[in-house]
Amino acid sequence: MNVKISYTVPFDSVPDTITELMRQSSNNLETTGAKLKMNAFDEHEETPLQKMKRIDEVRKELSTIDLLLEDCYTILAGYIVTGK
């Protein structure tokens, strides 16, 4: 289960905070991509059920990355409107 957590940063640090969140998303995406590649070409025998479980784990990780990027997008939209 995911929960939203909010915190306050100074207005001027919003771009730096977004950059850090995007860096985190990028790192997570690289890690998840490597895991997917490793799982896709894994040579040892797996049952279809085991493979499904590993696929589901990657999908959940990708969903978490997507949610973080959605938060970045929403924060930046508010930042742009407020900054005008």
Side-chain angles (χ1 to χ4, degrees):
M1 175 171 77
N2 291 326
V3 295
K4 283 251 188 219
I5 297 175
S6 63
Y7 58 95
T8 304
V9 298
F11 184 78
D12 293 339
S13 23
V14 168
D16 291 337
T17 301
I18 294 300
T19 298
E20 184 53 39
L21 292 173
M22 290 178 66
R23 186 174 290 118
Q24 178 184 344
S25 294
S26 176
N27 291 340
N28 292 347
L29 187 56
E30 286 179 24
T31 301
T32 303
K35 185 184 289 187
L36 179 61
K37 185 181 250 186
M38 181 179 68
N39 290 344
F41 300 109
D42 202 349
E43 295 297 323
H44 74 275
E45 294 295 318
E46 277 188 319
T47 66
L49 192 56
Q50 290 170 319
K51 186 68 94 176
M52 286 175 61
K53 181 180 178 193
R54 290 178 11 144
I55 290 169
D56 192 51
E57 289 170 3
V58 169
R59 291 182 67 244
K60 287 176 182 174
E61 291 171 17
L62 289 172
S63 175
T64 300
I65 294 166
D66 181 57
L67 289 171
L68 182 55
L69 290 172
E70 182 181 359
D71 288 345
C72 290
Y73 183 90
T74 303
I75 292 166
L76 281 174
Y79 176 79
I80 290 168
V81 169
T82 304
K84 288 185 178 183

